[in-house]
Amino acid sequence: MENQQFYYDNKIVRNFLYASILFGVVGMLVGLIVAFLYLFPNLTDGISWLSYGRLRPLHTNAVIFAFVGNAIFAGVYYSMQRLLKTRMFSDVLSQINFWGWQLIIVAAALSLPLGFTSGKEYAELEWPIDIAIALIWVVFGINMIGTILKRRERHIYVAIWFYIATFVTVALLHIFNSIEMPVSWTKSYSVYAGVQDALVQWWYGHNAVAFFLTTPFLGLMYYFVPKVANRPVYSYRLSIIHFWSLIFIYIWAGPHHLLYSTLPDWAQNLGVVFSVMLIAPSWGGMINGLLTLRGVWDKVRVDPVLKFFVVGITGYGMATFEGPMLSLKNVNAIAHFTDWIVAHVHVGALAWNGFMTFGIIYWLIPRMTKTTLFSTGLANFHFWIGTLGIILYTVPMYVAGFTQASMWKQFNPDGTLVYGNFLETVTQIMPMYWMRAIGGTFYFIGILVLVYNIVLTVRKGAAVQDELAEAPALAVISGKQLKGESWHGWLERKPVLFTVLTTIAVAIGGIVQIVPMIVVESNVETIASVKPYTPLELQGRDIYIREGCSNCHSQMIRPFRSEVERYDPINKNYSRSGEYVYEHPFLWGSKRTGPDLLRLGGKYNDNWHFNHMWDPQSTSPGSIMPGYKWLFDNKAMDHSLIEKKMEVMVKLGVPYSAEEIANARKSIEEQSALIEKNLHADPDFVSAYEESKKAHGDQFVPMKDREITALIAYLQRLGMDMKAHKNELSLK
């Protein structure tokens, strides 16, 4: 059969690679700033858009979706064309994919520091950006499926199996987790509430790790590792087992993020069982990757690309051993809410995603520019300083996690907590935070070295051009299984059927877990004393979400003696599912840099909260919490959307009456005036208040009309319903 000539599109690969490098620098720089804010909490004092609570989601989104996301697109576009012996389906769709994704990243970089957030971890972007993500992801999928359909290769290679699973599952996860009810262009509420929202969020959150940070990189591993090593994949049969078992099992594991929470036991136990099972396919993939390098270890010692790959795959193996271990309830009881989880996440992010991306960049750029890498020595230096950075980052965080867990749970012989003041645990782990910052600095130096090396490589090379290739057209083959052909070989010739079966495999777990939680009312308790937030408290909760307070504070008291004694010593109440029925979204948090706040209401007076938010160290010596001085600005809080917010809440099932909505601003006026009256009990407040009044004259705004008052109202409400209830629950 006569060969057909065509051109591979290298320019789109180049664009994604350059974007990945650029946003890698930005995302890691923001992460480094965040690490130093633990050491110098007032480093950005008074600058709202540089506060920890707003920078932390910017860091995670930049690293996951900008740095890693662009690397995924680059690797997929490069490898798919060569594996399928064809140019991408549509140059126009490729360009829309690239520019659309960059615009989404820019929108995230602007909106998150400005405080526009949904409050859902790893899914913080507001609804217009969510829609844009879905549209661009569909564009990517159409381009990918179209390329597969016009291929010149009969069978679709293992890497493409993982690309298909990535496209299908990320689409499902993103769409269902991002269903929200808009209030305005910049504000929305999740349609799910409380424990249901938590389950959907961690079905998304865990599987975003699985199908955005894992499966596409496994596909890239199956292409680039054999390519660089010039060796075939170790085992085709193991690839099949690895793929199907991984995508089926992974989707069930999300509930292990919610162990000992108010999630029903049946859902927690399902998460544990499948999480433990997950170690088999995960390590199957690691073994397949590492054993592909058998016989070329001499090359590994001198080739920095293979060094990055080996440590990256090893990091994947470590993280996927640790994940199932952390899903065991006795281990989770120690690790959850501590810095152990931070260490675990960064083993995967820095080693698996980071090092695999660096290896791909170092291998692809010289080939596309028709030259050699400017400096192999610098690449090796990057490898070693990056590896040292990972060690210096993660090891101290493991130590910090064990220290926190141990100190939180220790009791004196008389039954009191040894470390009753939460701050004692914070001050104890400060040396570990210093080591984390140093490790992060080393890793960041490594990516700066990469930038220098790549810039000089590009300068000495040729401009990236589309690459001429030729291959025979794909002959029409019978749909029946051929003689001697395996069932999976037959399936590899049927990409549409392959995609359908993949969709079924990944959808089963989500359906079994989520549908009963939403449909069966008995999964959530009914507690008569739990009432909706007042209009002012609702405003305060939105401020709490905007400032990212749930990054450091949980609202979940687990049924442990140590937690009940620490956070609710009087009423002895641990969390109940019925407490959260009006929470859109849930705010359980995932780490305790500060204490749990679920029973905070009434513990301190209004003046304490006022002073604490202005200068945390004045009320809590040794605190690493920053001040929130912009909440005290001399400008009136915007209540223009309060009626709309309450109307949206009604649509979501919150029982506000028409009268309550109509009188919302009157309610705000009365409650905020009471808080301001309480603040006047402090002579220092009165003195400062009168001075401010004189200084601003006619422009002076009463304290009751400022944001701090709404936040105080919310904080003082936390747990008050359960304190009134005295643990007498009426079950539906």
Side-chain angles (χ1 to χ4, degrees), residues 403-704:
T403 302
Q404 288 167 312
S406 175
M407 294 180 74
W408 292 344
K409 294 178 181 293
Q410 289 189 42
F411 281 88
N412 292 308
D414 64 356
T416 59
L417 290 162
V418 174
Y419 302 102
N421 186 345
F422 188 92
L423 270 172
E424 293 177 278
T425 67
V426 176
T427 55
Q428 189 67 31
I429 60 177
M430 290 308 294
M432 280 69 96
Y433 286 159
W434 271 104
M435 292 299 295
R436 189 251 303 265
I438 293 169
T441 300
F442 282 6
Y443 197 88
F444 183 68
I445 289 172
I447 195 170
L448 294 181
V449 170
L450 176 141
V451 171
Y452 178 77
N453 209 355
I454 292 301
V455 167
L456 293 183
T457 300
V458 171
R459 282 184 176 178
K460 77 168 188 170
V464 174
Q465 300 293 334
D466 290 350
E467 182 181 336
L468 179 64
E470 60 179 34
L474 179 64
V476 178
I477 302 294
S478 168
K480 297 180 180 179
Q481 192 170 347
L482 303 177
K483 185 177 180 180
E485 186 179 39
S486 68
W487 67 270
H488 204 272
W490 169 79
L491 184 60
E492 290 166 28
R493 294 194 284 109
K494 302 289 182 181
V496 175
L497 177 60
F498 191 100
T499 302
V500 170
L501 293 177
T502 299
T503 305
I504 293 171
V506 299
I508 292 172
I511 292 171
V512 171
Q513 289 176 336
I514 294 172
V515 171
M517 272 301 301
I518 294 175
V519 174
V520 181
E521 292 186 11
S522 61
N523 281 310
V524 181
E525 295 170 299
T526 297
I527 302 175
S529 65
V530 174
K531 305 297 182 185
Y533 293 108
T534 67
L536 185 64
E537 292 160 1
L538 182 61
Q539 293 285 64
R541 189 174 194 269
D542 287 343
I543 293 170
Y544 183 94
I545 292 171
R546 184 190 74 193
E547 301 305 336
C549 300
S550 56
N551 288 313
C552 293
H553 293 282
S554 61
Q555 292 186 32
M556 171 58 61
I557 302 175
R558 296 174 293 180
F560 301 150
R561 176 189 169 206
S562 59
E563 296 204 5
V564 171
E565 188 63 35
R566 182 182 298 278
Y567 297 119
D568 197 5
I570 298 175
N571 295 303
K572 309 295 185 185
N573 279 323
Y574 54 84
S575 298
R576 306 283 182 166
S577 60
E579 292 185 63
Y580 304 102
V581 292
Y582 303 133
E583 303 274 307
H584 298 270
F586 84 111
L587 294 174
W588 296 356
S590 57
K591 182 178 177 295
R592 284 177 179 154
T593 305
D596 189 275
L597 302 183
L598 186 63
R599 303 282 185 261
L600 180 66
K603 185 176 181 180
Y604 306 104
N605 61 33
D606 292 347
N607 291 107
W608 186 94
H609 287 293
F610 185 91
N611 294 325
H612 184 65
M613 297 306 297
W614 176 265
D615 179 12
Q617 290 75 34
S618 68
T619 57
S620 308
S623 172
I624 59 172
M625 175 179 160
Y628 290 83
K629 293 183 172 59
W630 52 93
L631 302 180
F632 301 77
D633 283 351
N634 190 51
K635 60 182 180 182
M637 185 179 178
D638 183 8
H639 296 300
S640 61
L641 290 176
I642 187 59
E643 293 88 356
K644 178 67 173 176
K645 288 180 179 180
M646 295 174 73
E647 289 168 0
V648 167
M649 285 291 186
V650 169
K651 293 177 182 176
L652 297 176
V654 180
Y656 289 121
S657 67
E659 183 180 3
E660 287 174 319
I661 296 173
N663 293 322
R665 300 197 194 193
K666 181 181 178 183
S667 170
I668 288 174
E669 178 69 23
E670 291 173 352
Q671 189 174 5
S672 61
L674 181 59
I675 292 173
E676 181 169 326
K677 180 181 178 182
N678 293 338
L679 292 174
H680 276 80
D682 181 358
D684 291 335
F685 171 82
V686 173
S687 175
Y689 190 74
E690 292 302 322
E691 286 183 18
S692 178
K693 208 170 184 180
K694 290 178 182 177
H696 289 91
D698 293 340
Q699 302 301 315
F700 178 76
V701 174
M703 194 59 65
K704 66 182 178 62

Side-chain angles (χ1 to χ4, degrees), residues 249 274-285 317 320-322 324-325:
I249 294 172
F274 280 91
S275 296
V276 173
M277 293 167 59
L278 192 57
I279 192 170
S282 297
W283 272 45
T320 52
F321 169 77
E322 193 179 17
M325 181 177 69

Side-chain angles (χ1 to χ4, degrees), residues 133-144:
I133 292 170
L135 293 175
I136 296 302
W137 194 254
V138 168
V139 167
F140 165 62
I142 293 171
N143 209 11
M144 181 173 69

Side-chain angles (χ1 to χ4, degrees), residues 354-376:
F355 270 31
M356 290 297 292
T357 297
F358 298 149
I360 290 168
I361 291 169
Y362 279 126
W363 191 79
L364 275 182
I365 295 292
R367 272 155 186 77
M368 293 198 301
T369 55
K370 296 181 173 58
T371 187
T372 55
L373 189 64
F374 170 74
S375 173
T376 301

Side-chain angles (χ1 to χ4, degrees), residues 126-314:
E126 271 293 356
W127 68 271
I129 307 177
D130 282 337
I131 292 174
I133 292 170
L135 293 175
I136 296 302
W137 194 254
V138 168
V139 167
F140 165 62
I142 293 171
N143 209 11
M144 181 173 69
I145 299 299
T147 305
I148 294 171
L149 294 177
K150 75 167 194 174
R151 69 194 186 281
R152 293 183 175 86
E153 283 287 340
R154 181 181 303 172
H155 295 88
I156 53 175
Y157 177 67
V158 58
I160 297 174
W161 312 346
F162 285 95
Y163 301 160
I164 291 172
T166 297
F167 164 66
V168 168
T169 314
V170 169
L172 290 174
L173 295 169
H174 174 71
I175 290 170
F176 282 98
N177 185 54
S178 299
I179 299 176
E180 48 218 355
M181 189 77 71
V183 175
S184 67
W185 285 102
T186 57
K187 181 62 186 175
S188 65
Y189 293 118
S190 172
V191 298
Y192 313 105
V195 65
Q196 297 166 339
D197 190 48
L199 179 60
V200 174
Q201 161 61 22
W202 283 113
W203 170 74
Y204 162 88
H206 180 79
N207 291 300
V209 172
F211 289 91
F212 197 84
L213 300 179
T214 301
T215 54
F217 272 84
L218 288 169
L220 298 178
M221 178 194 79
Y222 275 113
Y223 177 80
F224 285 101
V225 171
K227 198 76 174 174
V228 176
N230 198 27
R231 299 280 297 180
V233 170
Y234 171 68
S235 171
Y236 167 69
R237 188 169 298 174
L238 183 57
S239 301
I240 297 172
I241 298 170
H242 174 211
F243 173 76
W244 289 106
S245 58
L246 187 82
I247 68 167
F248 175 74
I249 294 172
Y250 227 136
I251 207 79
W252 295 75
H256 79 223
H257 290 263
L258 301 171
L259 300 184
Y260 294 110
S261 72
T262 62
L263 188 71
D265 285 343
W266 66 264
Q268 293 187 38
N269 294 335
L270 268 179
V272 171
V273 170
F274 280 91
S275 296
V276 173
M277 293 167 59
L278 192 57
I279 192 170
S282 297
W283 272 45
M286 178 192 70
I287 290 168
N288 219 7
L290 291 179
L291 290 185
T292 297
L293 299 173
R294 71 199 187 286
V296 296
W297 289 106
D298 287 340
K299 186 177 180 182
V300 173
R301 285 200 295 270
V302 298
D303 187 341
V305 172
L306 287 177
K307 286 179 186 175
F308 277 110
F309 285 169
V310 167
V311 172
I313 296 169
T314 304

